[in-house]
């Protein structure tokens, strides 16, 4: 394999040994010790091949970083000055390591003790499959590199957003949530066939299903959390749910206290937009101690049900009172089955606005309002 080349733009002091060898070919370089003196063997040494990394291990994977380590033969190990790391999304794993023979690989890292942390160099995306391969390299005085053969290709997948990342999203969502408006019901729009199916095949109870991949790519609830989607936004002038819907002309309405009360926990799940001026916030309501509650407790920031910027329930004069944020569209996931008999189903009078659908919607990665400084 032809060694990649790097332009050597930075001047640096040269050791006595470097002064002697800078005009010699690689095959005639005299070995130097760490102090810059000639080695005790003053003869001309033939350059040995650099060790090839093997048994590569990937660990401590987050949504935007990982640690990498490997084994290599001790022979010529002390000549290694740098590591070349080639990282690709899995679908590109068969692409050439170099687009041009004189262009180095994607990362040139100084030879530091292993494991080495890789973070931010490629703006790693969360829950994305990657391939990685490694070379060892020895930088020469003229700026060129002598390199080993490439290691085997290893595959790994980055992680979801952590609670730390979701808290950053939460804080950005709080900025635009707006004032709170009263609500009295949660509602779910579907086609008539959906409700007929629930009655005939599920004993009248709507069943939780796995959340789709809409929203932030790193959201830990996408494709994992099981729940039932509800809406709770109201029209500013009427205080009632809007008559339009993207999800079907039949609407199930249920009193807010049936789903959201002191016996439930509330979690923040996501904040996103779809190349539009309005933003969505996903909240999760889970009965205390339920499987959904245990899932969320480990992964999502928990909100105080009486005091948060998005959805609250509090008691006033012995009656539960509910409020929702005015300036974001709330999508509420309830994690347990819901019997239709607890509410009512009726046809809406408005339009079916498909443009408002969030099913598998892709988040705008360029929006400064709802993105955080990690992979999209």
């Amino acid at each position: 394999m032809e060694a990649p080349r790097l332009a050597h733009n930075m001047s640096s002091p040269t050791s006595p040994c470097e002064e002697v060898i800078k005009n010699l070919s690689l095959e005639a370089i005299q070995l130097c010790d760490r102090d810059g003196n000639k080695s005790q063997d003053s003869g001309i040494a033939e350059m040995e091949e650099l060790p090839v990394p093997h048994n590569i291990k990937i660990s401590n994977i987050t949504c935007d970083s990982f640690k990498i380590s490997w084994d290599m033969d001790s022979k010529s190990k002390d000549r290694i000055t740098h590591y070349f790391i080639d990282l690709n999304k899995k679908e590109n794993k068969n692409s050439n390591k170099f687009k041009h023979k004189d262009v180095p690989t994607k990362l040139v890292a100084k030879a530091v003790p292993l494991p080495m942390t890789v973070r931010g160099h490629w703006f790693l995306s969360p829950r994305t499959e990657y391939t990685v391969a490694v070379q060892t390299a020895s930088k020469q005085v003229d700026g060129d590199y002598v390199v080993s053969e490439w290691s085997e290709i290893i595959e790994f997948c980055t992680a979801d957003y952590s609670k730390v990342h979701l808290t950053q999203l939460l804080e950005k969502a709080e900025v635009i949530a707006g004032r709170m408006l009263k609500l009295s019901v949660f509602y779910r729009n579907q086609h008539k066939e959906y409700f007929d199916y629930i009655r005939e095949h599920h004993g009248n109870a709507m069943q939780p299903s796995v959340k789709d991949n809409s929203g932030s790519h790193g959201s830990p609830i996408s494709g994992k959390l099981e729940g039932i989607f509800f809406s709770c936004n109201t029209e500013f002038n009427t205080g009632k749910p809007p008559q339009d819907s993207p999800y079907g002309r039949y609407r199930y309405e249920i009193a807010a206290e049936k789903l959201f009360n002191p016996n439930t926990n509330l979690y923040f799940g996501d904040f996103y937009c779809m190349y539009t001026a309005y933003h969505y916030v996903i909240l999760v309501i889970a009965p205390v101690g339920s499987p959904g509650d245990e899932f969320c407790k480990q992964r999502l920031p928990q909100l105080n049900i009486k005091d948060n910027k998005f959805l609250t329930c509090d008691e006033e004069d012995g009656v539960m009172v509910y409020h929702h944020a005015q300036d974001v569209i709330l999508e509420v996931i309830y994690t347990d089955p819901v019997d239709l008999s607890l509410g009512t189903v009726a046809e809406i009078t408005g339009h079916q606005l498909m443009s408002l659908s969030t099913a598998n919607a892709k988040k705008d990665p360029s929006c400064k309002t709802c993105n955080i400084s990690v992979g999209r």
Side-chain angles (χ1 to χ4, degrees), residues 103-169:
V103 179
T105 190
K106 294 180 180 177
L107 173 66
V108 179
K110 287 186 177 180
V112 297
L114 300 176
M116 179 177 67
T117 299
V118 178
R119 177 183 290 109
H121 294 284
W122 302 276
F123 299 100
L124 287 163
S125 296
R127 63 162 63 186
T128 301
E129 292 185 322
Y130 288 93
T131 62
V132 64
V134 188
Q135 286 177 312
T136 58
S138 177
K139 188 172 185 178
Q140 310 303 301
V141 293
D142 60 359
D144 286 350
Y145 286 88
V146 174
V147 297
S148 71
E149 295 294 325
W150 283 103
S151 70
E152 73 271 29
I153 295 174
I154 300 297
E155 299 179 0
F156 71 98
C157 185
T158 47
D160 299 331
Y161 284 158
S162 67
K163 277 189 180 181
V164 172
H165 299 115
L166 286 172
T167 299
Q168 293 175 19
L169 270 182

Side-chain angles (χ1 to χ4, degrees), residues 80-121:
I80 298 172
T81 62
H82 291 77
Y83 305 135
F84 287 4
I85 301 177
D86 188 72
L87 185 77
N88 292 285
K89 287 188 177 180
K90 189 174 178 181
E91 60 266 27
N92 299 325
K93 67 180 179 180
N94 292 323
S95 63
N96 291 331
K97 293 287 185 262
F98 300 100
K99 293 181 180 179
H100 184 274
K101 66 180 182 180
D102 289 334
V103 179
T105 190
K106 294 180 180 177
L107 173 66
V108 179
K110 287 186 177 180
V112 297
L114 300 176
M116 179 177 67
T117 299
V118 178
R119 177 183 290 109
H121 294 284

Side-chain angles (χ1 to χ4, degrees), residues 3-8 10 12 14 18 21-32 45 47-48 50 78-82 84 136-148:
R5 300 169 62 89
L6 272 181
H8 189 57
M10 296 181 62
S12 59
T14 55
E18 290 172 330
I21 66 176
K22 64 181 179 181
N23 294 318
L24 300 180
S25 66
L26 293 180
E27 289 75 13
I29 290 179
Q30 290 180 310
L31 299 181
C32 301
M47 295 294 286
E48 297 178 352
L50 292 172
D78 57 347
R79 288 181 46 233
I80 298 172
T81 62
H82 291 77
F84 287 4
T136 58
S138 177
K139 188 172 185 178
Q140 310 303 301
V141 293
D142 60 359
D144 286 350
Y145 286 88
V146 174
V147 297
S148 71

Side-chain angles (χ1 to χ4, degrees), residues 14-21 29-43 45 78-79 81 141:
T14 55
S15 68
C17 181
E18 290 172 330
E19 287 291 336
V20 171
I21 66 176
I29 290 179
Q30 290 180 310
L31 299 181
C32 301
D33 62 21
R34 294 182 181 273
D35 295 324
N37 300 316
K38 293 182 181 180
S39 64
Q40 292 181 356
D41 180 5
S42 59
D78 57 347
R79 288 181 46 233
T81 62
V141 293

Side-chain angles (χ1 to χ4, degrees), residues 259 261-267 285-294 297 302 305 334-336:
L259 300 185
N261 54 62
N263 295 318
T264 56
N265 284 327
L266 181 67
Y267 298 91
I285 297 176
V288 174
S290 66
D293 188 34
E294 293 304 314
K297 192 173 295 183
Q302 186 171 348
I305 64 172
Y334 187 76
T335 61
D336 273 12

Side-chain angles (χ1 to χ4, degrees), residues 312-333:
T312 61
C313 84
D314 203 358
E315 188 174 334
E316 295 180 10
D317 299 324
V319 178
M320 298 305 295
V321 178
Y322 295 84
H323 290 85
H324 71 88
Q326 173 185 347
D327 294 336
V328 292
I329 300 175
L330 296 179
E331 297 182 303
V332 178
I333 301 176

Side-chain angles (χ1 to χ4, degrees), residues 183-198:
L183 70 106
S184 59
V185 299
F186 290 100
Y187 55 95
R188 174 173 171 81
N189 287 81
Q190 284 286 348
H191 299 286
K192 181 178 182 295
E193 292 76 14
Y194 168 82
F195 293 110
D196 291 341
Y197 185 86
I198 294 300

